């Protein structure tokens, strides 16, 4: 994940994990009022976004997208689509000071992914200002969840094996009952 994440950063792309990715919102351009009927509400600086790599042709007005920017010092932007044209989209941030982004149009070549979910987490993510820090946090969370799952499985397996164990007294009683049954069957055959 770290290697592919580093490669993605160098190529100005998002890390693709089974068709999804995530990122940290570095500015307040989407902090405002979302248009009515939007699936994604406005969100604050420091939010974590979950994106899906979807088809460029499936985008609609009010979708929030990630795209490569031509603006100096800003490799990727997250804006809402406000105008749809045959081969490009015009976007704008939700912040009240945002203007139509007519100089940085979303074309098929610049389009990266569509935002499908946003988590603010009380600004905790804003302390991880670089992509590698977020990747490290996600890896730690995944490893911790995996460890808890493994502990759960060990305890579950131990409890099941205890339930399946037969005590010595029960075993002796079963053997004695079986021997008596064999004896009776032998006597019946005579």
């Amino acid at each position: 994940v770290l290697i592919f994440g580093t490669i993605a950063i160098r190529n100005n792309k998002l890390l693709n994990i089974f068709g999804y990715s995530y990122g940290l919102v570095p500015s307040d351009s989407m902090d405002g009022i979302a248009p009515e009927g939007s699936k994604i509400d406005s969100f604050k600086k420091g939010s974590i976004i979950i994106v899906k790599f979807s088809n460029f042709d499936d985008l609609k007005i009010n979708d929030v997208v990630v795209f490569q920017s031509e603006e100096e010092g800003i490799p990727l932007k997250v804006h809402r689509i406000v105008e749809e044209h045959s081969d490009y989209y015009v976007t704008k941030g939700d912040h009240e000071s945002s203007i139509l982004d007519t100089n940085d149009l979303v074309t098929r070549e610049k389009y990266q992914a569509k935002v499908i979910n946003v988590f603010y987490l009380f600004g905790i993510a804003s302390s991880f200002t670089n992509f590698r820090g977020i990747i490290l946090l996600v890896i730690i969370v995944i490893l911790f969840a995996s460890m808890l799952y493994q502990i759960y499985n060990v305890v579950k397996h131990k409890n099941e094996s205890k339930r399946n164990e037969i005590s010595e007294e029960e075993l002796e009683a079963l053997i004695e009952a079986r021997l008596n049954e064999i004896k009776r069957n032998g006597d019946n055959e005579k």
Side-chain angles (χ1 to χ4, degrees):
V1 169
L2 289 173
I3 290 169
F4 290 118
T6 303
I7 292 169
I9 290 170
R10 286 195 180 166
N11 293 331
N12 230 7
K13 302 265 185 196
L14 294 170
L15 176 64
N16 188 339
I17 305 170
F18 303 112
Y20 294 88
S21 190
Y22 60 93
L24 176 71
V25 178
S27 72
D28 63 353
S29 69
M30 291 301 294
D31 188 6
I33 299 172
E36 192 173 317
S38 299
K39 290 182 181 178
I40 301 293
D41 286 333
S42 296
F43 43 91
K44 299 179 181 184
K45 177 181 179 177
S47 297
I48 295 174
I49 56 172
I50 307 296
V51 298
K52 181 178 182 181
F53 293 95
S54 59
N55 192 339
F56 178 80
D57 297 322
D58 295 338
L59 298 176
K60 302 180 291 277
I61 289 182
N62 288 335
D63 283 346
V64 179
V65 295
V66 178
F67 60 97
Q68 291 176 334
S69 173
E70 293 180 14
E71 196 172 321
E72 188 69 32
I74 301 175
L76 296 174
K77 280 188 177 179
V78 179
H79 278 173
R80 189 177 307 275
I81 294 175
V82 292
E83 287 181 22
E84 185 175 353
H85 297 274
S86 60
D87 56 346
Y88 67 91
Y89 296 96
V90 178
T91 63
K92 180 181 179 293
D94 288 347
H95 195 273
E96 60 189 30
S97 66
S98 293
I99 57 171
L100 282 180
D101 207 352
T102 55
N103 294 330
D104 212 356
L105 303 173
V106 180
T107 61
R108 188 176 302 278
E109 294 77 31
K110 294 192 322 185
Y111 170 69
Q112 295 277 314
K114 177 179 162 181
V115 176
I116 60 168
N117 210 340
V118 179
F119 303 98
Y120 182 59
L121 301 176
F122 307 107
I124 293 171
S126 62
S127 62
F128 294 95
T129 55
N130 65 28
F131 196 69
R132 290 182 192 102
I134 293 174
I135 290 174
L136 184 59
L137 176 66
V138 168
I139 289 172
I140 289 169
V141 167
I142 290 171
L143 289 175
F144 184 72
S146 176
M147 181 183 71
L148 289 177
Y149 180 72
Q150 292 300 325
I151 290 171
Y152 168 77
N153 280 338
V154 167
V155 169
K156 180 180 169 186
H157 181 70
K158 182 81 170 158
N159 288 339
E160 285 175 0
S161 64
K162 274 187 176 181
R163 274 187 252 134
N164 293 335
E165 275 184 16
I166 299 175
S167 68
E168 285 185 39
E169 296 85 26
E170 291 172 326
L171 185 59
E172 287 176 16
L174 283 172
I175 292 172
E176 190 174 320
R178 183 69 178 139
L179 286 173
N180 287 337
E181 185 181 321
I182 291 172
K183 235 185 215 183
R184 270 186 264 128
N185 286 340
D187 289 342
N188 288 340
E189 288 178 12
K190 289 182 182 180

